[in-house]
Amino acid sequence: MTLLADLVEASTRAARTASRIGKRDAIAAFLRAVAPDEVEIAVAYLAGETRQGRLGIGIATLAALRGGAAAAAPTLTLSEVDAALARIAATRGKGAAAERSAKLAALFARATRAEQDFLVRLLVGELRQGALEGVMIEAIAAAPGVAVADVRRAAMLAGDLGAVARAALAEGAAGLARFSIEPLRPVLPMLAQPAEDVADALARLGTAALEFKLDGARVQVHKAGGDVRVFTRNGNDVTAAVPEIVDAVRGLPARELVLDGEAIALAPGGAPQPFQVTMRRFGRKLDVDALRAELPLSVFFFDVLRLDGESLVERPARERFAALADALPSGLIVPRLVTRDADAAQAFYAEALTRGHEGVMAKALDAPYEAGSRGAAWLKVKRAHTLDLVVLAAEWGHGRRRGWLSNLHLGARDPAGGFVMLGKTFKGLTDELLEWQTRELLAREIGRDDHTVYVRPELVVEVAFNDVQASPQYPGGLALRFARVKRYRPDKRAEDADTIDTVRAIYAAQPAKTAA
């Protein structure tokens, strides 16, 4: 069995190592020594997650436990910690909060001071050893000496990095080769990079497929015989909330399907409803029948990943699009134009905007479906610059905003670990949004000073801005000009946020650079 102390030591080494290769090697060396049955636990903890999710334990309780009794020597194994957390997560009913706290206190009493500190940071989501998914994939490949590309492919198809690590360490490349897309098991969605305009997209892709970019909820729909399941971009099963999507796919002639698309609420005239309206259909507590009558959903698909027993993810996009057209009626497929003509592309883009959509997607015709990847084969063209950023902190408002958290600290994801602050904004916030974000941010508080509440980096906000400027004020050397909140993205996690590399690319592409 593997001691928690050994994982803490590996995490500390990774955190103290600035280089990506150093982090990779520290994690790989530890993974080689982990007991096979504990590999999945180890990978989750090194990535800053527990296998049980949030446990409902407050920060004050955790802080008190860290200052309490501690073991003199390490004895806790990864399996024991995981089992204890599972028991805590399963505690329900009257008096559950006190019982969870008591069980957690018993766990902490068996932990050393260093282990207690690690557990607190793990449970509040504040581990910062830089072991994000990219580094973890490289470390998992380095541990048994397999190709990074093989691990990445398996991780994309499995949606479970721990299971991939276990297979790689136990069986090497042969174990990884067995991962494939399967019905009823969601995979990570392929993502897009921004393009300046349609001319820029065509210049980068050549002849491309242009599609209306719908401002809806990304859905992945699986069919296996009469069983249909609908998953969000995060892999959450929302089948019960969207019966009209289930009905639409169940009636298709194909026996087996995995489809990628967008669910969207349309007004009676066919115009798209605002994103927030569509997302009402995906709330936690639903009166589905009433909501379906009040707010019916439409679904439009743009890709097919599996069809009647055959995986299509490695086939070029043109073949997948042809298969989609054969399997679905045109009314279920997003409007698409294949062209390399700039005038035709601009007219298609203008039509998308006229119909009330965000813009267009431009997709390379020879590219495979790269699940979980934000590659250069998919480009998004919108009316204005937008980025999906993470809220790192918020400042208390003044005047009529007193009592609300208002000025947001915005961060882009750093692929090497953590987040890079790009500035602040309080613009674009309605009273309703101020009230909501104050409640949500305080629930994620990890510290504060006189003016600012610092939070777990979990909430993703879509920010519109004019351009990017050089700025010595922020660590990344860049800041957004005239940033304003467009909307929160409850369908996205912090790891789905745009990276600092994307921001740098936008800055480099600007015709003129403006200093702050």
Side-chain angles (χ1 to χ4, degrees), residues 190-192 204-209 211 302-305 312-322 336 362-371 373-379:
M190 186 169 175
L191 305 172
R204 291 156 67 176
L205 299 179
T207 300
E211 301 167 354
F302 47 75
D303 221 323
V304 55
L305 313 186
L312 304 181
V313 292
E314 295 179 353
R315 303 271 288 274
R318 61 169 56 85
E319 295 184 21
R320 301 198 310 275
F321 296 161
R336 177 181 290 129
K363 299 180 178 179
L365 295 175
D366 58 352
Y369 188 95
E370 299 177 281
S373 173
R374 193 183 295 276
W378 283 17
L379 303 175

Side-chain angles (χ1 to χ4, degrees), residues 429-474:
L429 297 167
T430 63
D431 288 356
E432 182 181 11
L433 200 54
L434 283 164
E435 181 179 358
W436 178 88
Q437 78 177 20
T438 299
R439 181 175 64 253
E440 293 296 323
L441 291 172
L442 289 176
R444 293 165 171 80
E445 179 181 353
I446 58 173
R448 66 171 67 190
D449 55 31
D450 291 343
H451 306 291
T452 306
V453 174
Y454 300 92
V455 299
R456 296 194 303 270
E458 294 176 351
L459 292 181
V460 177
V461 63
E462 185 176 354
V463 175
F465 60 98
N466 286 24
D467 52 34
V468 180
Q469 64 186 8
S471 174
Q473 182 177 354
Y474 298 112

Side-chain angles (χ1 to χ4, degrees), residues 125-184:
E126 276 300 300
L127 276 177
R128 288 292 177 266
Q129 71 263 29
L132 292 178
E133 185 169 286
V135 176
M136 285 299 302
I137 285 174
E138 293 172 12
I140 290 167
V146 298
V148 172
D150 290 346
V151 175
R152 184 175 292 113
R153 174 192 170 278
M156 290 175 182
L157 296 174
D160 183 345
L161 200 54
V164 170
R166 183 169 184 170
L169 288 162
E171 304 173 66
L176 296 175
R178 284 199 293 274
F179 287 96
S180 64
I181 188 167
E182 296 180 5
L184 310 183

Side-chain angles (χ1 to χ4, degrees), residues 407-410 420-425 469-480 516:
N407 203 18
L408 301 176
H409 295 204
L410 305 169
V420 181
M421 189 170 171
L422 294 171
K424 309 175 185 180
T425 190
Q469 64 186 8
S471 174
Q473 182 177 354
Y474 298 112
L478 297 173
L480 305 183

Side-chain angles (χ1 to χ4, degrees), residues 61-94:
T61 300
L62 289 167
L65 290 173
R66 180 160 49 183
T75 60
L76 274 175
T77 67
L78 296 186
S79 293
E80 288 172 331
V81 175
D82 185 63
L85 296 183
R87 289 192 295 270
I88 292 167
T91 302
R92 298 285 189 273
K94 186 177 180 180

Side-chain angles (χ1 to χ4, degrees), residues 4 9 15 35 50 54 71 130 139 161 179 190 198 200 221 229 246 254 277 288 306 313-314 389 450-451 454 466 502:
L4 174 63
E9 182 181 353
T50 69
R54 298 293 177 195
L161 200 54
F179 287 96
M190 186 169 175
V198 290
D200 175 43
V221 185
R229 307 274 182 85
V246 173
V277 174
V288 175
R306 187 177 177 91
V313 292
E314 295 179 353
L389 302 175
D450 291 343
H451 306 291
Y454 300 92
N466 286 24
T502 295

Side-chain angles (χ1 to χ4, degrees), residues 90-365:
T91 302
R92 298 285 189 273
K94 186 177 180 180
E99 188 177 348
R100 284 196 296 266
S101 296
K103 289 177 179 177
L104 194 62
L107 173 64
F108 269 59
R110 295 187 57 200
T112 65
R113 291 293 183 204
E115 291 169 335
Q116 288 180 352
D117 179 69
F118 178 89
L119 288 171
V120 168
R121 290 183 292 122
L122 175 67
L123 294 174
V124 300
E126 276 300 300
L127 276 177
R128 288 292 177 266
Q129 71 263 29
L132 292 178
E133 185 169 286
V135 176
M136 285 299 302
I137 285 174
E138 293 172 12
I140 290 167
V146 298
V148 172
D150 290 346
V151 175
R152 184 175 292 113
R153 174 192 170 278
M156 290 175 182
L157 296 174
D160 183 345
L161 200 54
V164 170
R166 183 169 184 170
L169 288 162
E171 304 173 66
L176 296 175
R178 284 199 293 274
F179 287 96
S180 64
I181 188 167
E182 296 180 5
L184 310 183
R185 188 177 73 186
V187 299
L188 297 173
M190 186 169 175
L191 305 172
Q193 295 182 9
E196 184 68 25
D197 50 33
V198 290
D200 175 43
L202 292 181
R204 291 156 67 176
L205 299 179
T207 300
L210 301 181
E211 301 167 354
F212 285 2
K213 188 178 189 308
L214 308 184
D215 194 15
R218 186 84 173 263
V219 290
Q220 191 176 112
V221 185
H222 292 233
K223 179 184 181 184
D227 195 357
V228 175
R229 307 274 182 85
V230 183
F231 301 95
T232 67
R233 63 182 296 139
N234 296 330
N236 297 323
D237 190 329
V238 293
T239 305
V242 289
E244 55 265 71
I245 296 178
V246 173
D247 291 344
V249 173
R250 181 174 285 137
L252 297 174
R255 301 183 313 278
E256 188 180 272
L257 284 166
V258 176
L259 300 166
D260 194 359
E262 291 270 338
I264 188 167
L266 300 177
Q273 298 272 29
F275 173 79
Q276 292 85 349
V277 174
T278 293
M279 290 308 295
R280 286 174 53 198
R281 287 294 305 271
F282 297 85
R284 292 181 182 176
K285 295 181 180 179
L286 296 172
D287 183 342
V288 175
D289 291 337
L291 268 177
R292 180 178 184 178
E294 174 192 347
L295 193 66
L297 285 179
S298 298
V299 65
F300 299 92
F301 297 106
F302 47 75
D303 221 323
V304 55
L305 313 186
R306 187 177 177 91
L307 175 61
D308 285 341
E310 183 181 2
S311 172
L312 304 181
V313 292
E314 295 179 353
R315 303 271 288 274
R318 61 169 56 85
E319 295 184 21
R320 301 198 310 275
F321 296 161
L324 184 70
D326 287 341
L328 273 63
S330 60
L332 289 180
I333 300 176
V334 70
R336 177 181 290 129
L337 171 70
V338 176
T339 187
R340 66 176 304 151
D341 181 80
D343 291 338
Q346 186 62 39
F348 187 79
Y349 172 68
E351 182 184 0
L353 296 181
T354 299
R355 294 196 189 184
H357 299 299
E358 280 193 307
V360 296
M361 298 290 298
K363 299 180 178 179
L365 295 175

